[in-house]
Amino acid sequence: MERKICLIGGFATDWIKYSDYEYKNDSEGNLYITPMQEAGFSMYNPFNVAEDIIIDFLKVGNASKKYFKNKNEEAFEIVKKLTMLFVKKYGILGLISASTFNQNIIGDNEILIIEKNYINIKEKTMNSLEYMKLFTPFALPDDIQLKYYKNSIDLVKAEDSPKFYGKRPIVMDLIFSKFYSERLEWVMKFAGMLSEHFSQLLVYRDSTGHLTDDVTILADTFKANKIGFTINQLDKTYISWEFDSLKTTIETIYAFAVTDKNILLSCCEHCGDFYIALSNREKYCGPACRNRSNVQKSRLRKRELSDESLF
Ligand SMILES: [Zn+2]
């Protein structure tokens, strides 16, 4: 059997990542992650790397949780490193789109913010230009411009980056621009939540025999308000999912991963890494960890035996 998540349907649209990113402080000292000026972009399909994306993101989440607990410099450096690795592999989350009820924020006057957002906004509504500024702190006035026409609006960018000409919401033109940035703490909050959800799930999974009723694990966690789909025909008819962001894509892949009938998303008992197991008898991420753990156990047993013989 393959160690693959069974994703129902296909992913309709590609996501974009840049070849290099950097950390940069805005004028108020908030730490952002942003594409490097000279970086090039490439497209990929997140569904094709579903297993890697979920495992890599849970690593960021685990490290974030550790940092939230003891707030030391060393833990923060680990989060920074893992987040950078993640973003270089998969791109930025697209929280500008995932945090609103608006389908396409470009051209709307007022932004309706979802309650469970990771961008620290308590207000329910926000002015759209102010909202855009949160995600484009390093853009100069000429870098991104909104052009208003009689019946439409366009986003004009002073760079060569993907445009979808109405095939996708214009906000995607902004997310895939080099001027689009996200704060590290937003990414950490979302990743930390997912990792918390997963550790709760593992607790319940291990106590399955004792549960008599449905338990909702961390109720209200997922607010994927804008998942759309089309029905496509190739050799057979299939669902083609349309996501508003990489964040929603990750939530969806996670939901499929932890409910899959053939594989188990697991956490190695020896090294703590995430991996995909084929049954709950598999306790380690690979033969190396299984061997190391066995050696450790037999050493422990020997020590216990020799301790006993002292008496
Ligand atoms: Zn391991």
Side-chain angles (χ1 to χ4, degrees), residues 268 271 285 289:
C268 176
C271 69
C285 66
C289 272

Side-chain angles (χ1 to χ4, degrees), residues 23-32 34 137-138:
Y23 286 109
K24 230 172 164 179
N25 280 303
D26 72 355
S27 54
E28 284 157 27
N30 299 300
L31 188 62
Y32 277 85
T34 185
F138 312 112

Side-chain angles (χ1 to χ4, degrees), residues 267-273 275 283-286 288-290 292:
C267 185
C268 176
E269 282 190 6
H270 186 70
C271 69
D273 268 358
Y275 68 105
K283 303 286 184 204
Y284 306 102
C285 66
C289 272
R290 189 175 54 236
R292 269 182 236 130

Side-chain angles (χ1 to χ4, degrees), residues 9 22 67 136 151 208 234 289:
E22 62 182 328
Y67 172 72
T136 52
N151 292 315
T208 312
L234 191 61
C289 272

Side-chain angles (χ1 to χ4, degrees), residues 15 146 150-151 188 236 242 254:
W15 197 251
L146 294 178
K150 206 171 162 201
N151 292 315
M188 287 169 70
K236 44 185 183 187
E242 285 171 350
Y254 174 75

Side-chain angles (χ1 to χ4, degrees), residues 262-278:
N262 299 316
I263 56 120
L264 274 176
L265 188 59
S266 303
C267 185
C268 176
E269 282 190 6
H270 186 70
C271 69
D273 268 358
F274 301 104
Y275 68 105
I276 289 183
L278 293 179

